[in-house]
């Protein structure tokens, strides 16, 4: 958690520095692309390496790269040699490290936690990310006023090292099938062999294909929400920064409470049912935001709280489903394939949503996105390949190339 908070605060400080220095939307957009590009382009390759390597060492190396990037930035800020392009390079490096760290952590969790508790653990993880959404902006703003930027970067270095230290002493088991994959890797040293094996694994399993397709559609529909909220506040509710902060806080607080609730409850016996119920209710939250009258800002706050509450209840069980249903030696590739495809939807959806919202307004986007969430969430109950995904996992544990 400390490493996550340090990285979030450092990210906030870097974005603020770019904003104050340039005031350019193009610069901020370029930084966003730099932070996303490695995950989109290299994700499946990173997943293949994660499935081939020691996952403990992969996480240590990824945290190490993040620490080195932060240390480099600290030196540049301290020496006065900091330039805009340095931020782009650092964000590329951090994103590349995250492309290895996240799938290694998720794939390791399934080998260390009993399957019946995976949903609860996912709920705790979702809660921590929501807590970071609440804590990192005000903490980042506070530290910017108290410390020079190189001091904030050194905090990121320290928290990354704190994350690495326990991994020296924690045993993380490797999947039983990895020995076979390693032997095949010696016979066919190209990493593309493993990448193709991961694609074939997903292609032969319709349930996972549909799950990934659903995640892509939802990412396309929901990504613009955060970008359009400022316009909703100013153009529709005629509000100020405090109203925007209230909406963002409602989402974050809802996410923390939703993650805690999922961790305590554990969800339905069929995890996918929990996720689809959460998705439907999250859609209701977005619809409430979209239909809230200009005189009822409080209703939009309620809708965003509901959507935030249901976000971990939607995402947590899906991660647990993948951890349960996908063969351990394939999880790195499946996680990164899903992540890459979903991340690729973000810039595409923003390209579409911006001009469309300028033409028809912001509210219809929230209503349409929420309605699709409800339809997909309810419809998945009637798709056997999705509804019975966990019961069918044994059929796809062995991959024949």
């Amino acid at each position: 958690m400390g490493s996550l908070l340090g990285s979030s605060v450092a990210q906030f400080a870097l974005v603020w520095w770019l904003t104050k220095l340039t005031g350019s939307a193009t610069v901020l957009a370029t930084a966003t692309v730099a932070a996303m590009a490695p995950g989109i382009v290299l994700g499946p390759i990173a997943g293949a390496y994660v499935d081939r390597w020691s996952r403990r060492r992969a996480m240590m190396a990824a945290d190490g790269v993040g620490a080195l990037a932060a240390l480099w930035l600290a030196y540049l800020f301290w020496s006065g040699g900091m330039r805009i392009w340095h931020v782009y390079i650092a964000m590329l490096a951090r994103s590349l490290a995250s492309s290895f760290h996240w799938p290694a952590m998720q794939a390791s969790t399934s080998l260390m936690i009993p399957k019946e508790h995976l949903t609860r653990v996912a709920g705790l993880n979702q809660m921590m990310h929501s807590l970071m959404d609440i804590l990192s902006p005000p903490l980042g703003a506070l530290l910017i006023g108290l410390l020079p930027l190189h001091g904030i970067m050194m905090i990121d270095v320290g928290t990354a090292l704190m994350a690495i230290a326990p991994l020296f002493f924690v045993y993380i088991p490797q999947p039983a099938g990895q020995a076979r994959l390693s032997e095949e890797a010696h016979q066919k040293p190209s990493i593309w062999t493993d990448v193709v094996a991961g694609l074939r694994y997903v292609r032969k399993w319709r349930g996972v294909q549909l799950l990934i397709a659903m995640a892509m559609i939802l990412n396309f529909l929901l990504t613009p929400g955060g970008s359009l909220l400022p316009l909703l506040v100013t153009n529709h509710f005629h509000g100020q920064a405090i109203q925007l902060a209230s909406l963002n806080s409602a989402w974050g607080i809802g996410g923390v409470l939703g993650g805690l609730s999922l961790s305590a409850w554990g969800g339905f016996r069929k995890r996918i049912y929990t996720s689809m119920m959460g998705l439907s209710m999250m859609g209701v939250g977005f619809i409430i935001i979209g239909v809230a009258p200009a005189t009822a800002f409080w209703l939009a706050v309620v809708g965003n709280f509901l959507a935030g509450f249901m976000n971990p209840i939607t995402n947590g069980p899906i991660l647990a489903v993948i951890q349960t249903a996908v063969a351990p030696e394939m999880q790195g590739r499946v996680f990164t394939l899903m992540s890459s495809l979903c991340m690729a939807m973000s810039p595409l959806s923003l390209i579409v949503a911006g001009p469309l919202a300028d033409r028809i307004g912001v509210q219809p986007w929230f209503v349409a996105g929420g309605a699709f969430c409800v339809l997909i969430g309810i419809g998945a109950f009637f798709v056997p390949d999705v509804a019975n995904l966990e019961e069918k996992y044994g059929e796809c544990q062995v991959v024949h190339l």
Side-chain angles (χ1 to χ4, degrees):
M1 182 174 177
S3 177
L4 185 62
L5 181 60
S7 296
S8 298
V9 169
Q11 187 82 357
F12 179 88
L14 289 174
V15 170
W16 183 252
W17 181 78
L18 289 175
T19 302
K20 294 293 288 184
L21 181 67
T22 69
S24 169
T26 301
V27 168
L28 293 178
T30 304
T32 302
V33 171
M36 295 173 60
I40 296 173
V41 177
L42 300 177
I45 300 174
Y49 277 113
V50 166
D51 285 334
R52 182 181 289 193
W53 292 343
S54 162
R55 289 168 180 171
R56 181 174 66 91
R57 292 176 182 173
M59 287 187 281
M60 294 171 69
D63 281 330
V65 170
L68 288 174
L71 185 62
W72 179 57
L73 290 176
Y75 168 75
L76 291 171
F77 278 123
W78 174 77
S79 65
M82 189 68 187
R83 300 293 182 268
I84 293 172
W85 66 270
H86 292 145
V87 176
Y88 299 157
I89 297 297
M91 287 188 170
L92 281 169
R94 290 161 66 101
S95 178
L96 181 61
S98 179
S99 298
F100 288 88
H101 189 281
W102 183 76
M105 183 179 65
Q106 296 298 332
S108 298
T109 300
S110 64
L111 296 171
M112 301 175 67
I113 305 296
K115 294 187 183 299
E116 63 270 20
H117 296 307
L118 285 173
T119 302
R120 299 179 189 274
V121 172
L124 286 175
N125 287 333
Q126 294 286 315
M127 180 210 70
M128 286 194 295
H129 281 86
S130 296
L131 195 59
M132 294 305 102
D133 290 339
I134 298 174
L135 294 179
S136 57
L139 182 59
L142 175 65
L143 290 177
I144 286 173
L146 296 176
L147 296 175
L149 285 169
H150 63 265
I152 297 176
M153 295 303 109
M154 288 305 298
I155 291 176
D156 191 20
V157 174
T159 56
L161 294 178
M162 289 172 60
I164 294 173
L167 292 174
F168 281 102
F169 308 100
V170 174
Y171 171 70
I172 298 178
Q174 294 298 112
Q178 194 176 55
R180 178 184 61 81
L181 292 175
S182 298
E183 182 180 344
E184 291 176 0
H186 286 300
Q187 297 171 358
K188 299 179 181 179
S190 172
I191 194 64
W192 293 107
T193 301
D194 285 356
V195 174
V196 171
L199 295 174
R200 288 179 176 173
Y201 183 87
V202 171
R203 189 177 65 183
K204 70 182 291 188
W205 196 350
R206 181 172 170 80
V208 172
Q209 289 179 34
L210 291 174
L211 200 62
I212 292 176
M214 289 165 55
M216 291 173 64
I217 294 171
L218 293 173
N219 212 52
F220 179 88
L221 293 171
L222 301 183
T223 292
S227 300
L228 295 177
L229 272 182
L231 292 178
L232 183 73
V233 168
T234 56
N235 295 347
H236 180 61
F237 292 110
H238 307 292
Q240 304 297 325
I242 185 64
Q243 280 75 27
L244 178 60
S246 299
L247 280 175
N248 289 332
S249 297
W251 172 275
I253 293 170
V256 170
L257 295 178
L260 283 173
S261 299
L262 180 62
S263 178
W265 168 38
F268 299 121
R269 185 183 65 83
K270 280 193 173 184
R271 297 179 177 93
I272 199 69
Y273 285 1
T274 307
S275 185
M276 294 304 104
M277 181 274 291
L279 177 61
S280 299
M281 293 304 297
M282 185 163 63
V284 171
F286 281 111
I287 292 174
I288 291 173
I289 296 172
V291 302
T295 55
F297 175 74
W298 64 268
L299 193 58
V301 173
V302 170
N304 218 32
F305 173 84
L306 176 61
F309 185 92
M310 291 299 168
N311 186 53
I313 293 177
T314 301
N315 290 324
I318 286 180
L319 293 176
V321 166
I322 297 296
Q323 290 168 332
T324 301
V326 174
E329 65 269 21
M330 303 298 296
Q331 286 186 14
R333 277 163 281 186
V334 173
F335 274 122
T336 50
L337 179 63
M338 176 181 286
S339 176
S340 296
L341 292 174
C342 289
M343 287 177 64
M345 294 294 101
S346 297
L348 180 60
S349 65
L350 291 172
I351 290 172
V352 174
L356 192 61
D358 286 339
R359 178 167 297 185
I360 66 174
V362 175
Q363 300 95 304
W365 186 272
F366 282 93
V367 174
F372 270 100
C373 287
V374 174
L375 290 174
I376 292 174
I378 295 176
F381 284 98
F382 303 97
V383 180
D385 286 314
V386 175
N388 301 319
L389 180 63
E390 293 171 86
E391 284 72 16
K392 293 185 177 183
Y393 77 93
E395 302 171 9
C396 298
Q397 292 295 296
V398 179
V399 180
H400 300 286
L401 300 182

